[in-house]
Amino acid sequence: MKQVSILSSAVAAALFSQSTMAAVITGQVLDKNQQPISNAEIHVHGKSQSVVTDKQGQFKIDVDNQGQLHISKNNFIDKRIAINGDDQNLVVTLTPTSVETVVVYASALHKNSLEMISPVNVLAGDELKDKAKPTLGETLKGLPGVNASYFGPVSSSPIIRGLDGPRVKITQNGLDSSDASRIGPDHATSNDSLAAEQIEVLRGPATLLYGSGAIGGVVNVVDNRIPTDNIDTLTGAAQYTHDTVSNTNTYAAKLETGNDGFNFHFDGTKRKGHDYKTPTFELPEEHDEHEGEDHEEHETANSVENTFIDSQTVNFGTSYVGDHLTLGVSYGRIETDYGIPAHSHHHHAHDEQDEDEHEDEHDQHEEPVFAQLEQDRWQGYMSYALHDNWIENISLRVGYTDYKHAEIEDGAVGTVFTNKTTEARATVEHKLGLWHGMAGYHYTESDYDADGEEAFTPASVTKTNAIFMLEERQFGDVTVELGARLEDYQIDSAVSMAEHHHDHDHEEEEEHHDEEAEIINYSEDFTNLSLSAGAIWQYQEGQSVALSVSRSERAPLSAELLSNGVHIATGTYELGLGYHIEDSEIHFEPEDIEQETATNFDLSFRRFIGDFGYTVNFFYNDIENYYYQQNTGLVFDEEHGLESAAEADEDAMAVYQFSSKDAKLYGIEFDVHYQVTPSALVKVFGDSTTAKLKDDEGYLPRIPANKLGSELQYTIADWKFSLTGTHYFEQSDITAYETKTDGYTLFDASANYQLDLGPVDTQLYINVDNLTDELGFVHSSFIKEKAPLPGRNFSLGIRGYF
């Protein structure tokens, strides 16, 4: 309530200090040949109103006081013009750019992709539609510095510069997606790329605005479910795609309309597919208890079982957009069933006869394990642009997500994961002297629970309260940016410690289980401080160099801190940071746990003018107390508990415990393009990441392989063609318990034909993924040997806009 009162006082003070200044700005937007540019957007920086130029490139816009006009147009470099609050007539000349400029919503300060200090990629428009896959990881993995965790094509999360899971924040319109994808790699993200307007990937720490979970980067999915611009006519889009590799059919539709400031949005998707096909590969050997059996012949497969998907999403949103006030709300529903590949259960019998009967019954009746994902998501948005000289805008975003992930085993509900999240972000955009910036307050509460055989992480409630500030100032051709965030992070859980008495039979253990379980109420507070400083120098028109330095702190998630149980999807027994193993016994001793602290350096060189352009990023990330899973050398089974691997049965699970040690990650990522002719464009891209523990203690696990690729785009009349080749190098920088992964090369091709159907903008397209049917294994996957990449796939489709 105290924070609400402060915010209310600030709003009231700003409202009553309004200026009555008003002016009309007119002008014309031209290119370098002095030809008019139509449909260029003229936006008053910090306010909600905007206009577009007519066919003669002319515009007129009302302003309240002095400030800045932001003029933007696709394929041109954005321009910002200072206005003094009086009537003015402007002539603005825009310079063409060799790359598309897109406003990055996650930047918070209305910056486009070329003005960002931190490296960023944005997928939008037809490029996003062509590359959209069922998961975010597969959609984004072709970008420099981005890879995918890959638990099959239906569960694949983004990896940024070797960091994923709890270090990469996945947001929707700036608010956490609030699913369970950070708990395990078999849990799919709840974001659908088909419904997105654009997807933004911010590399490097983005903790200032989004919290400690963004220590490695942010993936922000932007949609228009709460329209922030007035919609005057009925517009819409529809799309159908068929994929041959999994016999998947995908349908998507969107409708938007509005009248007199009130706007309405609807979108929905439906996707249904089967197990995907692969080039023929050898299945990993299973342990066999029969002595003398010949193992020279390996079993092979040409598909990955249990990788089906049946998903539907629907989203509604409405808003009111006035001259200064914007109010809106949206509701979204996701229902997805998807198979979990390589997901098997270890059944332990204590009597030979019972074991035989169980195996017979198991063989006859066991069905593949699959997940049922359900999510209800509400979001609200308020923005007020003021007639004020120092406060420009006050905004509030709120969200509530009710997420449920149930695993269905033999037709019955097994483990159920739930996560209910409430989030609020209030910001005040301001101008103080020559500094322009944003200050805000961020609140989240996440109520996580798990019940069932795979509930290896106990129920927990996590709360964060944070204040943050981001300020920028221009010094000629140099823009300097400073930021800070102070975050209070609190986690509460009831930890169950059950002692295992291995000298007794199983029935006796079950009888006394309840009595032996000790409940420990655990509560801990962490204070996370994050600081950043950066600058970008536009040393020539269309060329810049950027340098940023940041220090970010992160407290452990409940899964990293409190895990204690069998994680069947990865075939391991997991222990959190809060546990200690002594004489093969597990003790809960969560003392002296320090935050993960990352010091990150980014250096970027960019050229985006003329026929030749490039982006080259160098990064170095020094992390103290890096949390990672380490093989303890012990194994676990139901009957004997923890014991040495040499003494255990063959089906016992390796024990992995989260540990914290100092680490360093460094590398390079680049994207170079050359417009050979007006019709032909060539790109070369790639990345390299090295991730290792300090003091020569070895490499970090499951770090993606380096990649190098090239793309040719060719346009002729109504046709657009592309051919992309990407080589993934061998990954031999591995830990003691990993195996190296061979390199492979993937070729992808596409053809797009523009149809002339009057008012409907229609495109026919065909995409061919893995053109040569190459067999490839993903090193960052927990199940790489059981789930190679899909084989040759033809995607045939049609999309239309009106």
Side-chain angles (χ1 to χ4, degrees), residues 727-743:
H727 179 70
Y728 292 83
F729 291 86
E730 175 187 271
Q731 180 56 291
S732 57
D733 296 340
I734 56 178
T735 61
Y737 57 89
E738 287 186 294
T739 58
K740 74 174 185 178
T741 303
D742 294 334

Side-chain angles (χ1 to χ4, degrees), residues 354-367:
D354 292 342
E355 183 176 356
D356 292 339
E357 292 176 358
H358 177 78
E359 288 181 353
D360 291 340
E361 182 180 352
H362 177 75
D363 293 339
Q364 294 177 8
H365 300 291
E366 184 181 25
E367 298 177 4

Side-chain angles (χ1 to χ4, degrees), residues 127-158:
E127 182 183 16
L128 172 58
K129 301 303 181 188
D130 290 339
K131 294 183 177 180
K133 297 292 190 296
T135 65
L136 280 181
E138 293 305 290
T139 299
L140 301 173
K141 70 176 185 180
L143 298 176
V146 184
N147 289 275
S149 60
Y150 201 76
F151 208 91
V154 296
S155 180
S156 181
S157 299

